[in-house]
Amino acid sequence: MFCPGCAAPLPKHPPVTCQACGTSHWRNPKPCSGALVTYQGKLLLVRRAHDPWAGRWDIPGGFCEPGEHPVLTAVRELEEETGLAIDVTALAGMWMDTYGPPGDDGVEESTLNLYYFAELAGPDNPRPGPTEVSEVRWMGLDELPPGHELAFPDQEGPVLALWKAAMAAGGPPRHRMPDDPRPDRSR
Ligand SMILES: [Zn+2]
C-alpha cells in the first residue's frame, strides 16, 4: 500500500499518516439506512439479487448518498427496491457491521447502519427493483426468516428481534424526530 499523495510506502492500512509527506489517510465507516415497514401486522423484506448475501432475505435499505439525510435514504431505497412509498415514523437504532468479504487489501468495509420504523404511504403493490431485489414479501411474526436465511445476520438478527419486541409492545412506535429533514415533520 502506497501514499496516494507522494507514492511512499505506508507502514499499515489507513487510518495512517504518511511519514514521508505528512498526509493523513482515513478509512471511515459508510453510513447506510433501512426501513422496518409494517403493514397489517407484517414486515416488508426483500430477497437480495446480488452479492454480498445474494439470495438471502434482507431489510430494504442501502448506502446514503453524499449530503443525503438517512431518513430520505430510507424513503429513496424503499422506492427503488420495492416500488413502495413509505412514511418514516421513528428511529429504531444504529448497528455497526461490515459490508461483504475483505477487499483486495484484506480489509473489510465498515458500515454504520441506521434503521427506521415506517408505514405504507401509498398502495400495497410491491414491485421488486430489477437489479437489486428478486422478491418482495410481507412476513408475519411467525414467518420471519431464521438467521441462516438472513443477509448480514449479525446486524439484521438483532434488528428483527427489535421489530418483534415493538410488535409485542403494541406496534411500531411513532416519535417526533428533531432532525427530520421532511418539511413540517420536525416541529
Ligand atoms: Zn505521502
Side-chain angles (χ1 to χ4, degrees):
M1 168 125 210
F2 298 91
C3 173
C6 74
L10 293 174
K12 68 180 191 70
H13 293 292
V16 66
T17 298
C18 176
Q19 294 177 353
C21 74
T23 303
S24 294
H25 301 287
W26 307 99
R27 192 174 198 119
N28 297 325
K30 289 187 175 175
C32 308
S33 180
L36 298 162
V37 187
T38 306
Y39 179 61
Q40 296 183 339
K42 296 193 172 190
L43 178 68
L44 185 70
L45 293 178
V46 298
R47 196 189 287 278
R48 291 176 66 85
H50 59 78
D51 281 326
W53 305 106
R56 298 272 194 120
W57 288 106
D58 194 10
I59 301 165
F63 289 101
C64 298
E65 293 183 347
E68 182 180 57
H69 192 288
V71 164
L72 302 181
T73 303
V75 172
R76 174 180 56 76
E77 287 284 348
L78 264 288
E79 202 287 326
E80 290 175 6
E81 294 188 349
T82 72
L84 297 175
I86 64 162
D87 183 19
V88 171
T89 59
L91 175 65
M94 306 180 203
W95 284 261
M96 300 306 298
D97 202 357
T98 54
Y99 190 80
D104 293 340
D105 56 6
V107 180
E108 292 177 311
E109 189 85 70
S110 177
T111 56
L112 164 65
N113 302 271
L114 287 81
Y115 286 96
Y116 292 95
F117 290 103
E119 300 171 352
L120 212 50
D124 174 27
N125 55 352
R127 160 191 60 72
T131 60
E132 297 182 83
V133 166
S134 61
E135 186 180 354
V136 179
R137 195 187 291 180
W138 294 103
M139 293 197 192
L141 279 166
D142 54 358
E143 299 168 321
L144 294 179
H148 68 271
E149 294 179 13
L150 262 188
F152 308 100
D154 292 346
Q155 169 198 157
E156 298 200 6
V159 178
L160 291 188
L162 177 76
W163 182 77
K164 285 187 193 178
M167 296 303 285
R174 290 185 146 269
H175 293 307
R176 191 184 71 90
M177 294 182 286
D179 60 338
D180 197 323
R182 297 168 296 176
D184 302 321
R185 297 296 188 95
S186 57
R187 291 191 288 276

